[in-house]
Amino acid sequence: MGKATREAYGEALKEIGGKNEQIVVLDADLSKSTKTNVFAKAYPQRFFNVGIAEQNLVGTAAGLAASGKIPFVSTFAMFAAGRAFEQIRNSVCYPKLNVKVAATHAGLTVGEDGASHQAIEDVSLMRSLPNMTVLVPADEEETRQAIAWAAEYQGPVYIRLGRMSVDNVSPEGYVFAPAKAAILTEGNDVALIANGVMVMAALEAAKMLAAEGIQARVINMASVKPLDEAAVVSAAKETGAIVTCEEHSIIGGLGSAVAEVLAEQAPAPLERVGVKDTFGESGKPKELLAKYGLTAADVAEAARRVVARKK
């Protein structure tokens, strides 16, 4: 088991902060949890704790970006995407300012903090905004590269990060790029398109399916917007069956993005594994993933259903 993506984020911030003095970091009194405290200790003059005031957090970042700085702002995903939505929309995306929103503690795997803190609609909210890039890295290496890329890119970026430790799934030599999916396993019977913590589940599901003679192509789709439409179309045409896997509502996130591409460019049977239009609850992360149907077994079962539909 590797690190949580929030931990990789903290380390990546410190690394890029040493290379570029224009990078500043802002937090809403959660730096120990979001891991921006790593940057704060290394570069205290470029770290700003605005307190429990997420709307001001984003507004201040917008002002710093307009002054030529490269601000990374962090808080829990629920507060970043939810409480500060208007500020992200009107103060960051509308003028296309160079603000990076790195939101941690996303999804059900926040665990015991419960439904009020489990952001399962943040990707949908951020994906709907013009000028916004939306990234959901799967592991430590992909997070590190995504943060480094975001620091160089000119424009708003939303990076979704988690609390739970995850396996290292990035292949040797992996290079992150927006709108570029990574094919982790080959297969022409069904395609499992996943991101974030669900990439682990997709890979495990592929092993289960292989034992049954079903060859699954596992695709890590870290970039939800822009989406790698070519990878989706190829998967649809070459496998004829698609399963999307996300730790997010099936409404508006990865599943919806893939469904839109399929409907317009390459119709194929689709099953969406994700949270089914409901709120979460307090519990252990793995127990919650099981209760809400986000395990490898659930992905494998969805794959069996979608394969049957194409026959």
Side-chain angles (χ1 to χ4, degrees), residues 15-302:
E15 181 179 349
I16 62 174
K19 299 175 182 177
N20 188 340
E21 294 186 355
Q22 296 305 306
I23 292 173
V24 295
V25 174
L26 298 86
D27 205 290
D29 210 31
L30 286 169
S31 62
K32 184 177 180 180
S33 296
T34 65
K35 302 304 179 182
T36 59
N37 61 342
V38 178
F39 183 96
K41 291 176 182 177
Y43 317 107
Q45 298 303 313
R46 288 189 275 145
F47 176 80
F48 306 94
N49 178 10
V50 305
I52 305 173
E54 291 83 3
Q55 294 157 332
N56 184 45
L57 172 76
V58 174
T60 301
L64 287 165
S67 302
K69 299 298 182 182
I70 305 172
F72 279 78
V73 305
S74 290
T75 184
F76 289 3
M78 173 50 62
F79 307 137
R83 188 172 294 168
F85 178 81
E86 181 190 348
Q87 285 68 34
I88 293 175
R89 181 190 189 274
N90 290 334
S91 298
V92 174
C93 288
Y94 183 40
K96 200 177 181 180
L97 289 178
N98 196 29
V99 175
K100 323 302 173 181
V101 181
T104 70
H105 293 66
L108 293 173
T109 51
V110 173
E112 292 85 349
D113 288 356
S116 63
H117 284 54
Q118 292 163 347
I120 54 174
E121 55 285 297
D122 55 313
V123 172
S124 178
L125 289 167
M126 294 297 103
R127 180 176 162 253
S128 69
L129 291 173
N131 296 324
M132 180 63 90
T133 294
V134 181
L135 309 177
V136 187
D139 66 3
E140 176 184 357
E141 178 60 22
E142 188 165 55
T143 299
R144 185 185 66 79
Q145 291 196 34
I147 297 302
W149 174 85
E152 296 295 325
Y153 172 73
Q154 290 293 315
V157 181
Y158 181 80
I159 305 143
R160 188 184 208 239
L161 305 165
R163 180 185 194 181
M164 186 178 77
S165 295
V166 291
D167 290 341
N168 294 316
V169 297
S170 296
E172 186 175 350
Y174 172 71
V175 177
F176 169 82
K180 184 63 177 177
I183 297 177
L184 303 183
T185 67
E186 296 288 350
N188 288 325
D189 293 326
V190 62
L192 312 179
I193 303 177
N195 61 20
V197 301
M198 292 303 291
V199 176
M200 292 190 301
L203 287 168
E204 184 61 32
K207 294 178 182 177
M208 296 177 182
L209 294 166
E212 303 168 19
I214 300 173
Q215 301 304 313
R217 179 181 307 182
V218 176
I219 300 173
N220 176 14
M221 191 71 75
S223 180
V224 181
K225 183 183 180 187
L227 193 76
D228 188 344
E229 296 186 6
V232 174
V233 171
S234 294
K237 291 181 177 179
E238 293 167 10
T239 73
I242 307 291
V243 177
T244 57
C245 318
E246 58 191 318
E247 189 200 2
H248 185 274
S249 171
I250 60 170
I251 300 171
L254 177 65
S256 291
V258 169
E260 290 160 15
V261 174
L262 294 177
E264 294 178 348
Q265 301 184 46
L270 168 69
E271 292 276 343
R272 292 173 295 163
V273 174
V275 181
K276 305 296 194 296
D277 194 21
T278 186
F279 289 105
E281 61 186 275
S282 180
K284 299 293 184 182
K286 290 185 178 179
E287 293 174 348
L288 291 170
L289 291 175
K291 177 167 182 176
Y292 289 89
L294 276 69
T295 68
D298 294 308
V299 175
E301 182 56 32

